Every structure is written in structure tokens, then in C-alpha cells.
Amino acid sequence: MASEHQQLLIHELNHRVKNTLATVQAFTTQSLRSAMSLGEAREAITARLIALAKAHDLLTAEKWESADLSRIVSDALCLHNADRQRCRWQGDAVRVVPRTALALSMMLHELATNATKYGALSNETGAVSVSWATVEDANDPYEAGPRLTMHWRERDGPPVLPPTRRGFGSRMIERGLANELGGKVKIFYEPAGAVCTLDIPLEAS
């Protein structure tokens, strides 16, 4: 029995390591490809590694069983020195499984990075609000079960213009995250500020 349990733990560890290495490989390759200089690439890769490590720390403290969504959001924003006066978050008490926690942590990191460089957190007056809720979808039998909806909204930052090309962060959020979590993620560049909406199945933790 102990041997079977040990083998299960080893298998789980191997799975986590492979997923983590795949994530690191993806954002390293894309960071090098899209950066204007090696210095910019180094900065982007380092920041993404720190965000990933922070998410791993949170999951390790929770024995890799689940993570509190409010903590995930606060950790992501605090990495960018965003204070409570300019960044507010609220939502249902939700715990998410490890793979969802990691994916959401990276999504929030990319959004916060963009807000710090170009958006609402790049000036002295802008603000960010993050809200989420759990909903039951009873209309679609194929999508039965609880879902998580999340809204990221920026305001009072510099005037927003749609980008001429999608950067790695936007592509990772809209395509990679949606595929990883089996949901829908969209970014809108509204004049008042960037908006990101997320709708994903909520796996039992």
C-alpha cells in the first residue's frame, strides 16, 4: 500500500514538473522572439518566472490540493506593487484546482504587467478592479456544472488604442488559457481602459 502511494506521488510530481517545464519553455521562447532587445527579453522572462514561482509557493503551502482565488489575485497584483487604493478585488469564496491556479496566476501577471507599462497603473490616477463569481449553466447540457466568471477592468489610465499586433501575453491569455482551461477568455481595448473577461468550467477541488 505504501509502495502504491509512493508511486502515485512520483507520477504526480513528474506530471507537475513536465507541465512547469513546458510553461517555462513556451514563455521563454516567445519572450525571446517578441522582445526588442536581450535586456527586454531577460526582464520579461525573469518577471514571468517570479510569477510562476509565487503561484507554486501558494500551492505548496496548500499541499497542491487547491488554492484560494482571492489570494491568487492579491499575490499577482502585489508583485507589481499595486496598492489596495488603486487595485480592488472581490468575489465569491472560491478554491480552484492547481492547474487552474497556475493558469490564472500567469493570466493576471500578464494583465498587471500590461497595466503597469501602458495601462491604468502606468500613471498616478488609474485603477484596476477584478471581480469574479460562480454561476450554474443550466441551459446547455454539455456545459452543466459550476462555472467561474471573472472580469478585469481598468479605468482612468492613459487613453487606450487597440494594439497594432497582439503580443505574447495577449495571445497566451486568449488562446492558451482558453485551451488549457476549456473556456472563453477575451481582451477588449476600450477607450476608458482595457477589459478582460473569463468564463471557464470550475473543477471540483
Side-chain angles (χ1 to χ4, degrees):
M1 194 70 178
S3 177
E4 291 180 3
H5 181 64
Q6 184 180 38
Q7 287 298 318
L8 182 63
L9 290 176
I10 291 173
H11 176 75
E12 179 65 21
L13 178 60
N14 286 337
H15 181 68
R16 291 177 195 164
V17 170
K18 287 180 180 178
N19 284 347
T20 299
L21 290 176
T23 300
V24 172
Q25 180 184 36
F27 69 60
T28 299
T29 300
Q30 291 299 327
S31 297
L32 290 170
R33 183 177 298 167
S34 60
M36 301 297 292
S37 66
L38 284 177
E40 182 180 317
R42 181 170 57 249
E43 180 182 346
I45 292 169
T46 299
R48 285 165 177 151
L49 283 172
I50 292 172
L52 186 61
K54 188 72 173 177
H56 273 250
D57 286 344
L58 175 59
L59 285 167
T60 299
E62 298 286 354
K63 299 180 180 179
W64 280 82
E65 294 175 354
S66 65
D68 176 61
L69 181 55
S70 180
R71 177 69 183 276
I72 294 171
V73 175
S74 65
D75 281 357
L77 291 172
C78 287
L79 278 177
H80 293 264
N81 298 316
D83 60 63
R84 227 2 179 141
Q85 298 302 312
R86 299 184 62 187
C87 296
R88 299 183 179 275
W89 54 91
Q90 64 176 358
D92 297 340
V94 180
R95 297 192 69 83
V96 295
V97 296
R99 76 185 188 104
T100 302
L102 291 172
L104 292 179
S105 293
M106 297 308 294
M107 179 195 82
L108 291 164
H109 166 73
E110 297 298 331
L111 290 171
T113 297
N114 190 71
T116 301
K117 289 184 176 180
Y118 315 109
L121 301 180
S122 67
N123 63 12
E124 299 298 323
T125 59
V128 170
S129 64
V130 185
S131 61
W132 63 88
T134 54
V135 297
E136 291 283 346
D137 190 351
N139 297 321
D140 188 342
Y142 297 102
E143 299 290 347
R147 301 184 68 81
L148 173 67
T149 61
M150 177 180 281
H151 295 269
W152 168 287
R153 182 175 296 275
E154 300 178 32
R155 66 180 189 279
D156 298 331
V160 174
L161 294 174
T164 55
R165 66 182 182 89
R166 295 281 186 175
F168 166 67
S170 298
R171 295 197 305 273
M172 184 197 77
I173 292 171
E174 291 189 316
R175 299 176 190 173
L177 188 66
N179 290 336
E180 172 72 16
L181 301 181
K184 300 175 182 177
V185 189
K186 292 293 182 183
I187 301 176
F188 305 94
Y189 296 94
E190 299 180 355
V195 176
C196 180
T197 64
L198 173 144
D199 181 351
I200 59 171
L202 190 59
E203 297 181 49
S205 59

